[in-house]
Structure formats: C-alpha cells, structure tokens
Amino acid sequence: MRTPKVLLLGLAVVAGALALPGTASAAYSDPLTTTTKQNLVWHATPAAALTALDNALPNVSLNTVVNDTSYPMTGCTSAEKAALPKAPVATKSLCWDSERAGSTTWVPQGITTSGDADDDGMWGADKIILSGWHGTDELGRYNDARIQAVNYNDPASAAHRMLYLAVPNSTGSTFSAAKAHMGGMAWYGDKIYVTAVGNTSTAIRVFSTKHILQLTDTTSNAIGKTSGGYAAYTYKYAMMQVGYYTYAGGTCSMASDTGVPCFSSLSLDRSTSPPSIVTTEYFSDQSLHGRLYRFPMGTDYLLTGTATEAFRSYVGNMQGVLSHDGKWYVAHSSATINGQLWAQTTAASTSATCGSTAACWAVHPEALTYDWSTGLVWSQSEWSTADCKAQSQTCGRSVFAVPLSSLG
C-alpha cells in the first residue's frame, strides 16, 4: 500500500512496541475478535462485449504470454537481499531487471501463483508467478494496473512479460484502463482477482485468462481502439475484466474501521471447502484496526458474495493476508525497519521474533499467497533501491518465499 513518504516517516512502528497509540488496551499480540460481516454484489461484463473483442483480436493463452517473455528476472543485489525476511529466512528469492527494480512509475503490490490456480500447482505445462503492479502519479495514470507474468519453469532462468489490465465498454468496441491498486491478488481456475481502489464502491475486479488479447497497435501511447488497431500503451498483451464486485454497503472508507471496509489485500484459501477468498484492510492511522473477511467460492470460479467470517485484527499497517487451516496470517509494514508477520486466531496472536523484536519480516513487505503444491508462502517487497536510498535505508524490490511450516 503506497503512502506518501513524508507521512510514512511519521507512521513508523517502533520495534517491539506492540501497544498501539491511543488504544492502550490494544496490542498486536491480541487475538482476533469477531465483527460484522460485509457482503459483495457481482456485476458481470456483458458477454457480447467480451465476444466482440475476442473476435476483433487474437485471443491467446497465459501459457503463450509466459513463453513470450521480454525481460529476465535476475539475481538479487546486496541491497535487495537486505529487504528479505530475517526470520524465517527466505528459501527462494528472485529480483527484477534494472528497469523494474528502479521504476518510480510502477510499484509492486499483490502476488499469486499457479499454485493457487490449479490442483497440480501448474497452469498447463507451466509454473507461473503473477506479480501485480499499480501506476504512480509520475506515470500520469495513477492506479492503472498491470501484471508481470513470470515464467518460473526454471528458477535459474526465470523471465517475465507484462500484461495491461483493461475494462471493455458495454459493446466491446473498445476498452479502457482498469483502475486497481493491486494490493492483493488471487488466481483460481481461469479467474484472477485483484483489489480495486480505496474510497470507492468497487471492491474487487475480476479478470480471466480466457480473455487475454494480443494487441494490434503496439506503438500508440493510448488505450483501446486506435487508428492503427487496438492498443494498451505499447504493451503487447492486455487481459480483460469479466466483472467486478461492489460493497453491498456502498462506498468504502479508508478513514473508518466501523463503516464499509476498503479491501487492501486478498488471497486464496484452498484449505476450506469450497475454497475461499480472504481479504484485509489497511490503515496508516494506528488507532484504527483493520478487519478480515472470508468469501466462499460458488460456481464458475466466482464468489458467492456472502461473507462467512469477519474478524478484527489489532495488527497495524496490514499489507497482506493469508488464511490456511483456520489460522490467519497478516503482514505488517513499517516505514523505517523490517515488517512483522503475525499468525492469528481468536485464541492467540503470535509473531516470529529475532532478538528482542518482532520486526523480522521483509522490509516494506506487500501481499501474501500460498502455493499449496510446494508448501511455500510467496510475497514481495515494494520499495525500489532508489526509494530506500532516499530514506537512508538499504533495501530494494524482491520476490521471495518461505515455508508455511516456518510461520508458526
């Protein structure tokens, strides 16, 4: 969750100080408490619009995309390695090419893998990691959204290709940029879920691997129908939205922990029957306490929209959420030190510790996702090396994994 740097410096949580300002009785070590459930309302993209675009452009598979990579993943620099968790230690890590590693126009947030998508942990013949990024003010298209699709068949030679996320108009004659902060992602079957933008009525946007289009105009700095065909700001591929969920309660608020929640992150839980999506909300104000929700899957890899669980967590600055076998995991971020990873139930809240502090997770950590086929929890760090250097910190962007068994 990107917050202005000046504000971030005022929000740093001192390592080991678990009591929250203004709420002496609340601490990160407090267990979850139940709270009011919030439901969702589904809005489908007209089928005719999707068909029109599929007929107008080549419709390709995600396998085609990840076997048409344009940028290599790299070994991590010493600064990027410094952003990795201290405890538990990452057992897998990879880093971006120099342009992605240093970008100030795009920022990494949510993450999911083919371990979410299919029973065997693969998508067809490919092992895939999807990293979600949002545009910044510097790009001039704040909260435009893209996915870095990483071919992870051979970790030693991993590489990626970028896809733009787009929303068809009602007839399918054109499309526009999907507005999403990308704080969380989940991939189940052909559906890819991403968190939308705070302080709106849209909660989650849903895209489909069945509607990835190869664009015919890759030179225009525009999106949608152009004189040269169809474009998405020079990208080769765009994935279409097949629908979205709104909050049943109306517009969400990022300034209140009692009103309609703004989902900041999400992930898939395959340990429930049926599988479910879990969400959390982020507050920079440490006196506010984010809530966690669970939504079961219905038909066609879509949610029923009815929350079955709702909890309040007392961990601040929650950037990522994961649930497995009845236990919830939330990732906390700090502006100046390592983040924290908390394992929570209604009976307890515990954190991995290193020395006298709970701040052992990644530096500027983001979303969480669990690859049940390998037993690994994947995440990524947000700040570029330039961001870190500007704040006199040694860190950078990395994608990493730890065993779920190491999280407590």
Side-chain angles (χ1 to χ4, degrees):
M1 179 65 64
R2 182 61 109 186
T3 306
K5 300 286 196 324
V6 173
L7 179 59
L8 274 170
L9 291 178
L11 298 175
V13 177
V14 178
L18 301 182
L20 303 184
T23 54
S25 62
Y28 289 15
S29 55
D30 286 349
L32 300 175
T33 58
T34 57
T35 189
T36 305
K37 298 180 179 72
Q38 302 281 345
N39 294 330
L40 300 172
V41 179
W42 171 244
H43 307 264
T45 300
L50 293 167
T51 299
L53 286 168
D54 287 342
N55 290 337
L57 289 160
N59 185 316
V60 302
S61 69
L62 188 55
N63 303 91
T64 296
V65 173
V66 297
N67 285 286
D68 182 24
T69 54
S70 51
Y71 300 99
M73 302 300 290
T74 69
C76 299
T77 66
S78 58
E80 290 164 342
K81 288 179 181 178
L84 295 172
K86 294 179 181 179
V89 174
T91 57
K92 305 285 184 183
S93 62
L94 57 161
C95 289
W96 304 102
D97 61 284
S98 59
E99 186 177 346
R100 257 49 56 186
S103 175
T104 56
T105 54
W106 290 93
V107 176
Q109 299 280 296
I111 188 167
T112 186
T113 75
S114 51
D116 270 352
D118 205 354
D119 289 344
D120 63 0
M122 306 285 286
W123 190 246
D126 297 309
K127 188 70 176 178
I128 300 172
I129 299 171
L130 300 181
S131 173
W133 296 49
H134 75 81
T136 69
D137 286 330
E138 188 169 325
L139 177 70
R141 305 192 300 270
Y142 189 71
N143 281 333
D144 270 22
R146 75 182 186 193
I147 289 175
Q148 319 283 113
V150 180
N151 184 321
Y152 198 62
N153 291 330
D154 178 2
S157 59
H160 68 95
R161 165 71 76 168
M162 299 184 292
L163 303 92
Y164 226 81
L165 298 187
V167 179
N169 69 355
S170 61
T171 62
S173 61
T174 188
F175 49 83
S176 58
K179 294 297 181 180
H181 198 72
M182 304 296 285
M185 297 177 65
W187 178 10
Y188 188 55
D190 69 293
K191 303 300 191 297
I192 295 175
Y193 292 76
V194 306
T195 51
V197 178
N199 297 318
T200 68
S201 61
T202 302
I204 299 170
R205 296 189 183 276
V206 184
F207 300 83
S208 174
T209 58
K210 293 180 179 179
H211 299 286
I212 300 174
L213 304 181
Q214 183 173 330
L215 303 169
T216 50
D217 179 354
T218 57
T219 60
S220 295
N221 190 31
I223 190 164
K225 188 74 171 70
T226 69
S227 59
Y230 291 85
Y233 300 112
T234 74
Y235 286 57
K236 185 174 181 178
Y237 301 106
M239 184 157 50
M240 297 295 116
Q241 178 176 283
V242 295
Y244 63 97
Y245 293 93
T246 56
Y247 301 104
T251 300
C252 72
S253 172
M254 296 183 71
S256 168
D257 62 1
T258 59
V260 178
C262 294
F263 297 161
S264 62
S265 194
L266 58 79
S267 65
L268 179 70
D269 186 353
R270 275 182 163 268
S271 71
T272 58
S273 182
S276 53
I277 292 286
V278 295
T279 70
T280 190
E281 59 180 334
Y282 170 93
F283 291 113
S284 57
D285 182 345
Q286 294 288 293
S287 69
L288 301 177
H289 309 306
R291 292 158 290 179
L292 312 174
Y293 299 92
R294 182 184 303 280
F295 300 93
M297 287 289 175
T299 59
D300 196 26
Y301 307 110
L302 293 172
L303 302 176
T304 64
T306 302
T308 55
E309 289 186 304
F311 299 106
R312 188 177 300 280
S313 173
Y314 297 94
V315 174
N317 300 100
M318 289 191 292
Q319 297 280 23
V321 61
L322 187 71
S323 177
H324 185 78
D325 284 344
K327 186 176 287 187
W328 296 72
Y329 302 87
V330 294
H332 149 92
S333 68
S334 166
T336 58
I337 59 176
N338 284 67
Q340 302 174 21
L341 198 288
W342 289 82
Q344 299 191 296
T345 66
T346 55
S349 178
T350 59
S351 173
T353 59
C354 49
S356 60
T357 174
C360 294
W361 193 235
V363 180
H364 309 301
E366 282 296 325
L368 304 167
T369 188
Y370 177 58
D371 181 345
W372 73 273
S373 67
T374 61
L376 293 176
V377 173
W378 286 89
S379 186
Q380 58 185 349
S381 51
E382 174 185 13
W383 283 22
S384 69
T385 47
D387 289 334
C388 296
K389 186 176 181 180
Q391 299 300 329
S392 301
Q393 299 174 25
T394 302
C395 54
R397 290 173 178 156
S398 61
V399 179
F400 60 89
V402 302
L404 178 67
S405 59
S406 69
L407 298 184

